[in-house]
Amino acid sequence: MSIQKDGKLNQIGTVTADHVAAEAGVSRWTVNRAFRQEASISAKSRKKVMEAAEKLGYVPDLLASSLRSERSNLVAVLVDDFANPHKLVMMERLTRILRKHGWDTLLVNMLGEADTSAALLSASQRRVDAAILIGIQFNEEVLATALGAQRVRKLIIFARDSENPNTISICCDDVGAMTAIADYVLNKGYRKPLFLAGPQTESAHLKRKDTFLELWRQNRGDLPASISVPFYDPLLAYERTADYLASHDRSDYPDVVVCENDALAMGAIDAIRFRFGLRVPQDIAVTGFDDVPQAASPNYRLTTYRQPISAMAEALVEVLKGNNDPAHLCGFLGEMIVRESA
Amino acid sequence: MSIQKDGKLNQIGTVTADHVAAEAGVSRWTVNRAFRQEASISAKSRKKVMEAAEKLGYVPDLLASSLRSERSNLVAVLVDDFANPHKLVMMERLTRILRKHGWDTLLVNMLGEADTSAALLSASQRRVDAAILIGIQFNEEVLATALGAQRVRKLIIFARDSENPNTISICCDDVGAMTAIADYVLNKGYRKPLFLAGPQTESAHLKRKDTFLELWRQNRGDLPASISVPFYDPLLAYERTADYLASHDRSDYPDVVVCENDALAMGAIDAIRFRFGLRVPQDIAVTGFDDVPQAASPNYRLTTYRQPISAMAEALVEVLKGNNDPAHLCGFLGEMIVRESA
DNA sequence: TTGTAAGCGTTATCAA
DNA sequence: TTGATAACGCTTACAA
């Protein structure tokens, strides 16, 4: 593919900065400078270098670059919950925006809580600039231990709030969001909500349930009922909702089920309709959270809340660049998406 | 964190093989050998090294390793279609199985057909052992050009069939799969199928539509109608199906809609139900392909076909290891998943 | 089985 | 603005 200095054909066709330097009649370091924005280099030199690079098909080797420098321009995204379609949305946004700003993404499938340490190890062995957790099962304690042992430069919890002082959380304001939902539900005249929550783990968590219950109590005086499932799985939500309804008298049914996210909301809707033959929203209304693509389907027409994922991803980039004060990154506000389910 | 040879505190706390070597009283190369399975090293030396490594918190640096050797144990997965939930299933399987065998995954968000080249460039700059395409929009021509220019060692098309001789396709046998579906539909007594296909692009494609139509013609003598949408998007499938039904007399309605995948099938079901008030399967039946998690929901209860993704991913690993004959990798057979939609 | 020399392609640092 | 030296941490090849 390309000829090396010694004339030998290189196995993977590598063209190095030295080749370009020889072609352009400059030094290797000038070639390097031509490929960075901030470098002090004359326009003329840069032009010469770029033409030579184009001609030879040179691109900088990010591996070698990462080895010598303190940056790899690589981040790891750790995911442990591929059942929730919202993960797909987050991955799409994160990878797109990270790539736009020059970062590549290492996708690490965390096989469970016990795998946290191994997953972080994988990331650290590639010298990622940061590890981003968009999972749910990681345990704060395991995390702290793993973090101490591994040389992960930054640990970012995305779309979730962590108590761990060594991590940076980027998430939306759960109080603000739940206030929007509670206001909507109240204004629509619902009076008997049931809260359907996800895993009640000790890991970085969502304050949505407690926030909603407290807001409701402040407004109406009574504390709504709540149920939960161990995973954000629509089928579990289906079963749990069905159990709840089956164990209550029709007169004790909620008039609205407020769900911690869309995955749960869709399961709840299915149960209300297919297990009890009731109508949504006429008999029981349902609200979600996330606005996954399926929420818009004619089946669900889900009233939900959309987090500003793109803005959150942009903030993450600022953190990577070191431009952001990590203290104020959990105040993002989204918007109510009103459809027909409530 | 750790002390270097020169006594300086290393910024990122790096413990190198040299540190471990000093601690264990062996050479750096013995440390290296201790960390590989095939190396010729005495059990005693290995034990000494491993204890020292444990004590110092040493792990090999994959970046430095990749730089010198011909392998990076890193593969890129290029995705351009985050709307289809089946992508989430494939990513979960691929990352899990790759990681099990020692490969890390670079997730590259291909922003469109025109981005093929840039996406492959990203991958090549990290020296991936292979680039795996699970997208749909890449163009054969662009691919060929990009492939020539970039130093990607292997290009693997996953779950899709490519004509490009320089790529390796790993996919299921579309003829076998469509035969199973056609047989099922015929045996159930349906006589007027409509085929709902995805993008009819020139890129690596699915032969499902042509195969089904031909099988049907051979069996019944008539050629079924077919329609298509430009993306695998349920909402587009909804609109297209609705258009088709609206422009036909009730007596000309199909008795079954055979869909190229589940995403389209779910859109079709929504249209049949919510736009025309018809029942599935009593008025019009629907079949899918992929068996995405949502296909099992009480809403859809979709009769579909499940590809053996895990087996395909294992085959991919064999290709990476160089153990497989790339000639016979499109013969995977899945299984019919029979539910109530047809 | 173990050790030595050389080098992977880039960048930090300093000198010109 | 440009060039030179040394190093990043590891692995290939070969020698002991």
Side-chain angles (χ1 to χ4, degrees):
Chain A
M1 216 125 170
S2 78
I3 309 298
Q4 289 188 302
K5 275 179 294 187
D6 60 6
K8 265 202 317 199
L9 191 67
N10 186 303
Q11 290 129 316
I12 58 165
T14 311
V15 180
T16 74
D18 279 330
H19 301 150
V20 177
E23 174 77 24
V26 297
S27 74
R28 191 203 311 166
W29 298 271
T30 301
V31 172
N32 183 301
R33 287 183 187 106
F35 276 87
R36 355 171 116 200
Q37 298 304 326
E38 354 67 271
S40 55
I41 183 177
S42 69
K44 197 175 136 201
S45 293
R46 173 169 270 146
K47 182 158 178 288
K48 258 197 312 192
V49 168
M50 290 318 230
E51 281 169 359
E54 172 85 11
K55 180 176 168 193
L56 300 178
Y58 168 79
V59 286
D61 185 315
L62 265 41
L63 234 52
S65 159
S66 308
L67 181 60
R68 187 60 178 98
S69 72
E70 284 294 301
R71 332 208 72 197
S72 60
N73 283 290
L74 182 67
V75 296
V77 170
L78 315 195
V79 186
D80 67 4
D81 167 29
F82 286 80
N84 186 342
H86 193 231
K87 287 288 168 11
L88 204 50
V89 175
M90 290 203 278
M91 287 199 282
E92 198 282 324
R93 293 286 207 299
L94 280 172
T95 51
R96 180 147 49 81
I97 289 169
L98 283 168
R99 192 168 156 219
K100 185 177 85 181
H101 291 277
W103 268 275
D104 287 330
T105 305
L106 199 65
L107 177 61
V108 182
N109 186 344
M110 268 175 56
L111 304 174
E113 201 174 295
D115 194 43
T116 312
S117 194
L120 282 173
L121 182 63
S122 266
S124 75
Q125 288 191 280
R126 299 268 176 205
R127 296 205 193 185
V128 295
D129 291 335
I132 304 167
L133 270 68
I134 59 174
I136 51 164
Q137 293 290 310
F138 54 89
N139 174 299
E140 291 280 0
E141 198 177 336
V142 171
L143 204 58
T145 312
L147 198 52
Q150 316 310 344
R151 49 187 185 193
V152 172
R153 305 208 243 274
K154 281 175 180 153
L155 187 65
I156 300 171
I157 317 273
F158 192 77
R160 209 152 277 258
D161 204 351
S162 170
E163 309 286 314
N164 191 316
N166 296 315
T167 65
I168 301 164
S169 284
I170 300 177
C171 58
C172 100
D173 174 5
D174 276 331
V175 175
M178 291 320 290
T179 301
I181 292 177
D183 284 351
Y184 179 84
V185 167
L186 278 165
N187 289 337
K188 279 287 236 177
Y190 298 112
R191 288 298 173 261
K192 202 162 179 186
L194 168 69
F195 196 93
L196 173 51
Q200 307 287 296
T201 63
E202 39 178 336
S203 65
H205 66 295
L206 299 171
K207 308 193 205 75
R208 290 175 200 162
K209 181 181 121 184
D210 295 339
T211 304
F212 180 82
L213 297 187
E214 179 55 20
L215 284 168
W216 190 271
R217 200 192 52 71
Q218 286 171 17
N219 267 280
R220 302 280 314 164
D222 61 316
L223 205 63
S226 67
I227 53 180
S228 73
V229 290
F231 298 100
Y232 292 109
D233 183 326
L235 290 175
L236 289 175
Y238 176 94
E239 295 296 345
R240 188 68 191 88
T241 304
D243 284 352
Y244 181 88
L245 294 179
S247 65
H248 282 75
D249 196 78
R250 173 86 194 232
S251 60
D252 284 334
Y253 279 6
D255 55 7
V256 60
V257 182
V258 177
C259 303
E260 197 174 291
N261 73 18
D262 288 354
L264 302 185
M266 294 191 282
I269 290 178
D270 289 350
I272 291 165
R273 279 206 195 129
F274 293 93
R275 194 74 161 260
F276 296 88
L278 299 174
R279 295 161 302 160
V280 175
Q282 296 89 335
D283 297 316
I284 303 180
V286 175
T287 66
F289 201 107
D290 283 342
D291 193 32
V292 299
Q294 293 85 337
S297 107
N299 244 312
Y300 297 110
R301 302 294 304 146
L302 195 59
T303 291
T304 186
Y305 188 90
R306 185 193 296 156
Q307 303 177 66
I309 302 291
S310 293
M312 289 159 65
E314 295 281 359
L316 192 156
V317 168
E318 292 306 310
V319 169
L320 291 178
K321 289 180 177 168
N323 295 341
N324 220 325
D325 174 6
H328 305 95
L329 296 176
C330 278
F332 286 91
L333 279 177
E335 53 177 328
M336 282 299 295
I337 305 295
V338 176
R339 297 199 184 92
E340 284 89 61
S341 75
Chain B
M1 218 129 171
S2 77
I3 308 297
Q4 288 189 305
K5 273 177 295 185
D6 60 7
K8 265 201 317 201
L9 192 67
N10 186 302
Q11 292 129 311
I12 59 165
T14 310
V15 180
T16 75
D18 278 330
H19 300 149
V20 178
E23 174 78 24
V26 298
S27 73
R28 187 204 313 168
W29 298 269
T30 303
V31 173
N32 183 305
R33 288 181 186 107
F35 276 89
R36 358 169 116 199
Q37 298 306 323
E38 356 66 270
S40 57
I41 183 177
S42 69
K44 196 176 135 201
S45 292
R46 173 170 273 148
K47 183 159 175 289
K48 256 196 317 191
V49 169
M50 290 318 226
E51 282 170 359
E54 172 85 11
K55 180 178 167 193
L56 300 178
Y58 168 78
V59 286
D61 184 314
L62 265 41
L63 230 53
S65 156
S66 308
L67 181 61
R68 187 60 176 94
S69 72
E70 283 295 301
R71 335 208 68 195
S72 59
N73 283 290
L74 182 68
V75 296
V77 171
L78 315 195
V79 186
D80 68 4
D81 166 29
F82 285 79
N84 186 344
H86 193 231
K87 286 290 169 7
L88 203 50
V89 175
M90 290 204 276
M91 288 198 282
E92 197 282 325
R93 293 286 207 298
L94 280 172
T95 51
R96 180 147 49 81
I97 289 169
L98 284 168
R99 189 164 160 222
K100 186 177 86 182
H101 291 278
W103 269 275
D104 288 329
T105 304
L106 199 65
L107 177 61
V108 183
N109 186 343
M110 266 175 57
L111 305 174
E113 201 173 296
D115 194 42
T116 312
S117 196
L120 282 173
L121 182 63
S122 266
S124 76
Q125 288 190 280
R126 300 268 175 203
R127 296 204 194 186
V128 295
D129 292 335
I132 303 167
L133 270 69
I134 60 173
I136 50 165
Q137 293 290 314
F138 55 87
N139 175 299
E140 292 279 359
E141 198 178 337
V142 172
L143 205 57
T145 312
L147 198 51
Q150 316 310 343
R151 49 191 183 189
V152 172
R153 305 208 242 275
K154 280 175 182 153
L155 187 66
I156 299 171
I157 318 273
F158 193 77
R160 209 153 277 256
D161 204 351
S162 169
E163 309 285 317
N164 191 315
N166 296 316
T167 65
I168 301 165
S169 284
I170 300 177
C171 58
C172 99
D173 175 4
D174 276 332
V175 175
M178 290 321 289
T179 301
I181 292 177
D183 285 352
Y184 179 84
V185 167
L186 278 165
N187 289 337
K188 280 288 233 178
Y190 298 111
R191 288 298 172 260
K192 202 161 179 187
L194 168 69
F195 196 93
L196 173 50
Q200 307 287 296
T201 62
E202 38 177 337
S203 65
H205 65 295
L206 299 170
K207 308 193 204 76
R208 290 176 199 161
K209 180 180 124 185
D210 295 339
T211 303
F212 180 82
L213 297 186
E214 178 55 20
L215 283 169
W216 190 271
R217 200 192 51 71
Q218 286 171 18
N219 266 280
R220 301 284 311 166
D222 60 315
L223 205 62
S226 67
I227 52 181
S228 73
V229 289
F231 298 100
Y232 292 108
D233 183 326
L235 290 175
L236 289 176
Y238 177 94
E239 295 297 345
R240 188 69 192 86
T241 305
D243 284 353
Y244 181 88
L245 294 179
S247 65
H248 283 73
D249 195 79
R250 174 86 193 230
S251 60
D252 284 332
Y253 278 8
D255 55 6
V256 60
V257 182
V258 176
C259 302
E260 196 174 292
N261 73 17
D262 288 355
L264 301 186
M266 294 191 284
I269 290 178
D270 289 351
I272 291 166
R273 280 205 194 128
F274 294 92
R275 193 75 162 259
F276 296 88
L278 299 175
R279 295 161 305 160
V280 176
Q282 296 90 336
D283 297 315
I284 302 179
V286 175
T287 66
F289 201 108
D290 283 342
D291 192 31
V292 299
Q294 294 86 336
S297 107
N299 245 310
Y300 296 110
R301 302 295 302 146
L302 194 59
T303 292
T304 185
Y305 188 91
R306 184 193 297 156
Q307 302 178 68
I309 302 291
S310 294
M312 289 159 64
E314 295 281 358
L316 192 155
V317 168
E318 292 306 311
V319 169
L320 292 178
K321 289 180 177 168
N323 294 340
N324 221 325
D325 173 5
H328 305 92
L329 295 176
C330 279
F332 286 91
L333 279 176
E335 53 177 328
M336 282 298 297
I337 305 294
V338 176
R339 297 199 183 92
E340 285 89 60
S341 75

